[in-house]
Amino acid sequence: MTGEVERSDEDPGRLRVSDAERHQVAEMLRDAAGDGRIDLAELDERLEATYAAKTYADLVPITADLPAHRDAMKAPSTGAAASLVTPGGPREERHFAVMSGVDRSGVWTVPEQLTILCLMGGANLDLRHATYAAREVTITINAIMGGANVIVGPHTHVVVEGTGFMGGYHGPSGLVDPELDADSPTVRIRGFAFWGGVNVERKPRSDPRPTHRHRLH
């Protein structure tokens, strides 16, 4: 055999399917025949194609005209956002920056509820190499005569809902455009800023090996 093996990671449809997935499609076809959507001749033809299929691209056309089953045959996502959510992480964390600071960067897990009080202090949260304990997490930052800076990567959806009085919440702005898809986690940033501010920036992913992973005060 000559030539290079074609790469499948650039096209999810070219990934190989398992026997279990072939059996799943076969059951879909039998259910469709039972519902009268396809006749027995079509069933035999499609079953033969199912068990001969090697990739997701081979399987998808077999059920493409069966609306009740179409979504089940989507190839698995291989986008960068797919690996950002790791369910089972911490549920809640609270930190205080009172005339001091809170720093999180590098590889860490953002809990479902993260609350930080910045009282004449500051917080720096770099989420570019973080994973998320849930598809949607909430970061509550209360900044009183203090401030916070939050950095996200291109694959994270951000919703800013904070309230400012002689202060404010800004962003996301930054150096790169968002690259969002169905797998992108959502970060909701809430809180109250009084004589303080919270800024959200979107930057490209950097080297994930900082000198200090995080420092808490």
Side-chain angles (χ1 to χ4, degrees), residues 141-153:
I141 304 175
N142 296 313
I144 302 173
M145 293 184 287
N149 189 52
V150 181
I151 304 174
V152 300

Side-chain angles (χ1 to χ4, degrees), residues 67-124:
H69 307 288
R70 187 177 301 162
D71 290 342
M73 285 315 303
K74 291 181 180 178
S77 174
T78 59
S83 61
L84 294 181
V85 180
T86 55
R91 176 71 177 82
E92 183 176 4
E93 286 185 15
R94 294 178 179 271
H95 301 291
F96 302 92
V98 180
M99 293 187 290
S100 62
V102 174
D103 293 290
R104 298 300 299 263
S105 62
V107 180
W108 62 292
T109 300
V110 182
E112 291 186 47
Q113 301 285 338
L114 175 60
T115 302
I116 299 175
L117 171 63
C118 297
L119 176 59
M120 300 178 66
N124 181 61

Side-chain angles (χ1 to χ4, degrees), residues 102-109 124-130 151 206-216:
V102 174
D103 293 290
R104 298 300 299 263
S105 62
V107 180
W108 62 292
T109 300
N124 181 61
L125 306 177
D126 190 339
L127 311 184
R128 285 175 292 177
H129 291 281
I151 304 174
S206 60
D207 190 332
R209 297 166 298 178
T211 302
H212 300 288
R213 286 182 58 184
H214 63 267
R215 183 178 73 254
L216 299 181

Side-chain angles (χ1 to χ4, degrees), residues 143-168:
I144 302 173
M145 293 184 287
N149 189 52
V150 181
I151 304 174
V152 300
H155 305 291
T156 300
H157 179 55
V158 179
V159 180
V160 178
E161 302 174 332
T163 301
F165 180 71
M166 292 188 289

Side-chain angles (χ1 to χ4, degrees), residues 14-214:
R14 292 164 62 186
L15 295 174
R16 293 276 178 156
V17 296
S18 66
D19 286 339
E21 288 162 326
R22 294 187 187 91
H23 294 323
Q24 180 185 13
V25 172
E27 288 302 314
M28 293 179 186
L29 294 172
R30 294 187 181 98
D31 289 343
D35 294 339
R37 295 183 185 275
I38 58 177
D39 59 31
L40 294 180
E42 288 178 301
L43 174 61
D44 289 340
E45 181 180 347
R46 296 191 190 202
L47 285 175
E48 182 177 353
T50 296
Y51 287 111
K54 293 182 172 58
T55 66
Y56 285 96
D58 295 332
L59 281 181
V60 169
I62 299 173
T63 58
D65 59 348
L66 302 177
H69 307 288
R70 187 177 301 162
D71 290 342
M73 285 315 303
K74 291 181 180 178
S77 174
T78 59
S83 61
L84 294 181
V85 180
T86 55
R91 176 71 177 82
E92 183 176 4
E93 286 185 15
R94 294 178 179 271
H95 301 291
F96 302 92
V98 180
M99 293 187 290
S100 62
V102 174
D103 293 290
R104 298 300 299 263
S105 62
V107 180
W108 62 292
T109 300
V110 182
E112 291 186 47
Q113 301 285 338
L114 175 60
T115 302
I116 299 175
L117 171 63
C118 297
L119 176 59
M120 300 178 66
N124 181 61
L125 306 177
D126 190 339
L127 311 184
R128 285 175 292 177
H129 291 281
T131 57
Y132 300 88
R135 179 71 61 187
E136 179 173 316
V137 301
T138 299
I139 301 177
T140 302
I141 304 175
N142 296 313
I144 302 173
M145 293 184 287
N149 189 52
V150 181
I151 304 174
V152 300
H155 305 291
T156 300
H157 179 55
V158 179
V159 180
V160 178
E161 302 174 332
T163 301
F165 180 71
M166 292 188 289
Y169 290 73
H170 306 281
S173 61
L175 304 177
V176 296
D177 293 327
E179 299 176 18
L180 307 177
D181 57 33
D183 294 308
S184 295
T186 296
V187 176
R188 292 188 177 274
I189 298 179
R190 299 174 175 174
F192 180 73
F194 176 69
W195 281 8
V198 176
N199 185 55
V200 183
E201 297 180 278
R202 191 182 299 279
K203 295 182 178 181
R205 287 165 64 91
S206 60
D207 190 332
R209 297 166 298 178
T211 302
H212 300 288
R213 286 182 58 184
H214 63 267

